[in-house]
């Protein structure tokens, strides 16, 4: 299904979006709209079904209608559909207005032409499989938290935000899962399936440096399939993982919140909540190399949640989800 663009964007302009259009469009936005745009700025691509599951709308049908409106107005754009009839499987990315109002550089104007080139590069980017795998992993954790009282996916940082803390070029994801007021913070490493297991295992060296710099030493390797996991483990057991808690899994073992994580050197599997606790909200100021801008929104949209830490503090529970 083709997107009918706002007249300003029918022809990809190389000029900045007029300020009066930005002001007018901002005034038409609802709170869930802003959250969805911020989520796409942080995580680059999400589906209608994923945004719905995270709280953008109560039904996929209503989410589809609203996202289509935001696309026509230039806030977001379709990356692709998996089928003509599979409206719920539409992948979304930022459109020209969304890119202009959520920039990495606050003083940089984003033209429609630049936004569309970014979209087209994303379609062909070699890192897209790993990005999609990481986003699916975190959405699964968030939706699981909604079914467990006292649980929350409190933090989901993409490499975009992680770089403000790590100052590293290595693409790293960070998450923090809350259960019964215990925090479980971790690094997450996807497996795009196009890199040799030996090379994927070498990424552990970058995480050892991050652990030394930040104090966060739990690393989750999510292999693409059981064979890849076994090969990856064979190489990880030869690497220096001292001072790290390194665990592996793959989608065939089950949900990432269940006992599916096998520590290196062990034969048993652990649940995410069995992994080391993080005493306080991470990261402390002492390990923040650059100001962590509040770009990454809370990954669960819930207007009834009184404040961001309310689940972690035991003062709020998400309504029952079935």
């Amino acid at each position: 299904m083709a997107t009918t663009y706002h007249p300003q964007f029918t022809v990809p302009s190389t000029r900045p979006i007029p300020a009066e259009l930005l002001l007018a469009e901002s005034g038409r936005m609802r709170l869930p709209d802003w959250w969805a745009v911020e989520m796409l700025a942080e995580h680059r691509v999400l589906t209608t079904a994923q945004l719905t599951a995270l709280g953008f709308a109560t039904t996929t049908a209503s989410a589809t209608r609203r996202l289509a409106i935001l696309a026509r107005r230039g806030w977001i754009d379709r990356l692709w559909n998996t089928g003509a009839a599979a409206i719920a499987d539409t992948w979304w990315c930022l459109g020209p207005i969304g890119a202009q109002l959520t920039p990495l550089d606050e003083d940089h104007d984003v033209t429609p032409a630049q936004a569309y080139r970014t979209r087209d590069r994303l379609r062909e980017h070699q890192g897209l499989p790993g990005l999609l795998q990481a986003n699916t992993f975190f959405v699964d954790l968030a939706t699981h938290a909604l079914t467990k009282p006292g649980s929350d996916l409190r933090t989901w940082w993409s490499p975009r935000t992680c770089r403000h803390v790590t100052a590293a070029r290595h693409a790293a994801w960070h998450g923090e899962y809350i259960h019964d007021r215990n925090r479980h913070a971790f690094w997450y490493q996807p497996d795009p399936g196009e890199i040799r297991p030996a090379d994927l295992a070498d990424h552990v060296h970058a995480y050892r440096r991050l652990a030394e710099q930040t104090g966060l030493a739990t690393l989750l390797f999510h292999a693409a399939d059981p064979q890849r996991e076994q090969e990856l483990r064979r190489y990880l057991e030869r690497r220096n993982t001292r001072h790290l808690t390194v665990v592996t899994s793959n989608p065939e073992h089950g949900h990432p919140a269940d006992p599916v994580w096998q520590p290196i050197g062990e034969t048993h599997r652990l649940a995410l909540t069995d992994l080391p606790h993080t005493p306080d909200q991470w990261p402390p100021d002492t390990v923040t190399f650059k100001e962590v801008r509040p770009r990454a929104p809370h990954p669960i949209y819930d207007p009834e949640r009184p404040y961001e830490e309310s689940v972690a503090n035991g003062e709020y529970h998400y309504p029952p989800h079935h």
Side-chain angles (χ1 to χ4, degrees):
M1 186 169 81
T3 299
T4 303
Y5 293 107
H6 187 287
Q8 289 280 347
F9 311 127
T10 302
V11 177
S13 173
T14 57
R15 297 181 178 181
I17 301 169
E20 58 270 21
L21 176 59
L22 294 174
L23 184 61
E25 278 296 330
S26 296
R28 301 170 67 186
M29 291 287 276
R30 305 169 181 174
L31 287 178
D33 299 338
W34 284 112
W35 172 86
V37 170
E38 292 284 356
M39 285 290 286
L40 289 172
E42 177 72 12
H43 304 298
R44 303 185 70 184
V45 54
L46 292 165
T47 69
T48 302
Q50 287 174 334
L51 289 167
T52 304
L54 294 172
F56 174 69
T58 55
T59 67
T60 302
S62 60
T64 298
R65 289 191 295 270
R66 188 62 186 172
L67 292 169
I69 290 171
L70 295 178
R72 288 196 297 270
R73 285 163 42 189
W75 285 94
I76 64 177
D77 201 0
R78 285 179 171 86
L79 190 65
W80 70 59
N81 283 3
T82 58
I87 304 301
D89 289 330
T90 301
W91 293 93
W92 301 97
C93 61
L94 285 181
I97 291 183
Q100 171 63 38
L101 295 182
T102 58
L104 291 173
D105 183 348
E106 297 288 4
D107 299 323
H108 177 62
D109 286 326
V110 179
T111 69
Q114 290 171 329
Y116 296 141
R117 285 197 296 270
T118 298
R119 175 201 62 193
D120 294 341
R121 287 195 300 268
L122 180 59
R123 282 193 184 115
E124 306 299 328
H125 196 280
Q126 63 179 2
L128 184 59
L131 171 63
L132 298 178
Q133 182 187 7
N135 289 356
T136 297
F137 167 85
F138 281 102
V139 171
D140 286 347
L141 281 185
T143 54
H144 184 268
L146 288 170
T147 68
K148 303 293 181 182
S151 297
D152 192 20
L153 179 61
R154 173 60 186 88
T155 302
W156 169 13
W157 284 0
S158 74
R160 168 186 170 125
T161 296
C162 283
R163 288 190 184 99
H164 287 283
V165 175
T166 65
R169 298 181 64 184
H170 174 70
W173 279 261
H174 159 60
E176 184 181 68
Y177 191 82
I178 306 292
H179 183 64
D180 288 342
R181 303 182 70 172
N182 289 322
R183 299 176 182 271
H184 303 271
F186 55 86
W187 302 109
Y188 173 80
Q189 175 62 58
D191 173 16
E194 298 178 355
I195 181 174
R196 296 188 312 151
D199 294 335
L200 186 61
D202 283 340
H203 288 182
V204 77
H205 302 307
Y207 288 106
R208 285 185 61 223
R209 290 191 293 273
L210 287 182
E212 292 170 0
Q213 294 167 348
T214 67
L216 180 56
T218 300
L219 171 58
L220 280 56
F221 274 96
H222 206 209
D225 55 54
Q227 181 179 350
R228 292 273 297 181
E229 183 185 3
Q230 290 307 308
E231 294 177 5
L232 175 62
R233 292 184 62 81
R234 189 162 61 248
Y235 288 108
L236 284 171
E237 287 167 357
R238 302 172 189 170
R239 304 295 189 268
N240 182 359
T241 59
R242 188 172 54 181
H243 305 310
L244 281 175
T245 298
V246 182
V247 296
T248 68
S249 186
N250 72 78
E252 291 193 18
H253 276 294
H255 196 280
D258 291 340
V260 300
W261 300 101
Q262 184 176 356
I264 296 301
E266 304 289 345
T267 58
H268 62 283
R269 292 189 181 263
L270 302 172
L272 187 64
T273 53
D274 294 327
L275 299 179
H277 294 185
T278 309
D280 301 304
Q281 186 178 2
W282 190 90
D285 292 339
T286 54
V287 303
T288 303
F289 301 141
K290 298 181 180 179
E291 179 184 0
V292 180
R293 298 160 57 200
R295 180 65 68 215
H298 195 299
I300 297 173
Y301 180 75
D302 180 7
E304 301 301 319
R305 188 178 53 240
Y307 60 96
E308 300 290 75
E309 292 296 310
S310 56
V311 178
N313 292 338
E315 298 178 11
Y316 180 74
H317 298 288
Y318 290 113
H321 283 65
H322 302 288

